[in-house]
Amino acid sequence: MRLLWRTLQTAHAQREQSRRHFWGWLNAVFNKVDYERIKSIGPDRAAAEWLLRCGAKVRFQGFQRWHHDYNGLPTGPLGRYKIQAIDATESCIMYRGFDHLDGLEHVEEIKLIKCVYIEDACLERLSAIQNLQDSLNTMEVVSCGNVTDKGVIALHRLRNLESLFLSDLPGISDKQTTLDRLQTALPRLDIALDLD
C-alpha cells in the first residue's frame, strides 16, 4: 500500500512538472521576436501585439483607454498609433521579447507588477534602450521576485525618469545604498518605497 502511495505521488509530481515546462515553453513562444513583422507593421504595432499576447495592456497616445484585447487593437495607417504607456501586470513578458521595445519613441510609463519572468537583465536591457532613456518618466516595479539591487540600480540610465515606485522586491538586499546610487544619478527622481 505504501509503495502504491509513493508511486501515485511521484506520478502526480511529474505531471505538475510537465505542466510548468509546458507553460514556460508557451510563454517563451509568445516572447519570440519576429523582426520581419516589426519592419512590415512598425515597432509600435509589433510591440503592442507582443505585449497583448503576453497578457499586458497598452495605452496609445491621445487615448485614455487601455487596450488589452489582441483582436481589438486599432487599425489604420502604418505608424498612426504610438504606445504611450505599458501595464505589464501579471503578464508573461520576459527578456527574450524586449527587442520589441527598441523602436518605441513615445513610452512615458511602464508598470511591471507581479511579472514572474522580470529579472535584473530585463531592467538592464530596458534601461539601455536609447528611446526609453529619452521618453520614460514614470515606472513601477512591484512584486517581481527576481529583481535585485543590480536591476534597480540599472534604472539610473533612464535620465528622464521622474517617478519610481518600488514595492515587494525581496531580492533588494541593500536598500539604502541602492536608493542613494539612484538618487545621485537622477537627482530629480521621486522614489516611493514599500520594501519592508
Side-chain angles (χ1 to χ4, degrees), residues 32-102:
K32 188 172 189 283
V33 180
D34 182 348
Y35 297 99
E36 289 302 314
R37 181 112 176 113
I38 293 172
K39 281 183 198 171
S40 68
I41 63 172
D44 287 274
R45 174 68 188 214
E49 289 179 357
W50 164 62
L51 290 160
L52 271 57
R53 236 187 352 256
C54 291
K57 297 184 278 191
V58 297
R59 190 176 70 233
F60 294 102
Q61 251 183 349
F63 291 84
Q64 295 301 311
R65 186 171 81 84
W66 286 92
H67 292 271
H68 57 84
D69 179 9
Y70 184 90
N71 295 319
L73 278 173
T75 57
L78 184 64
R80 178 176 178 196
Y81 297 97
K82 303 294 185 185
I83 295 176
Q84 183 176 23
I86 297 169
D87 182 350
T89 300
E90 295 182 349
S91 71
C92 69
I93 64 169
M94 58 179 67
Y95 182 84
R96 177 179 191 168
F98 272 53
D99 283 359
H100 285 102
L101 301 175
D102 281 337

Side-chain angles (χ1 to χ4, degrees), residues 21 121 126:
H21 285 299
L126 187 135

Side-chain angles (χ1 to χ4, degrees), residues 140-161:
E140 294 181 28
V141 183
V142 178
S143 300
C144 297
N146 297 319
V147 172
T148 69
D149 302 84
K150 181 181 176 186
V152 173
I153 289 170
L155 299 177
H156 80 278
R157 296 168 75 184
L158 299 169
R159 61 181 161 267
N160 287 321
L161 196 61

Side-chain angles (χ1 to χ4, degrees), residues 3 9 12 15 23-24 58 65 70 82 86-87 101 106 120 132 151-152 173 194:
L3 180 60
Q9 284 181 320
H12 179 71
R15 192 172 41 223
W23 288 112
V58 297
R65 186 171 81 84
Y70 184 90
K82 303 294 185 185
I86 297 169
D87 182 350
L101 301 175
H106 305 280
D120 293 340
L132 294 180
V152 173
S173 58
D194 183 14

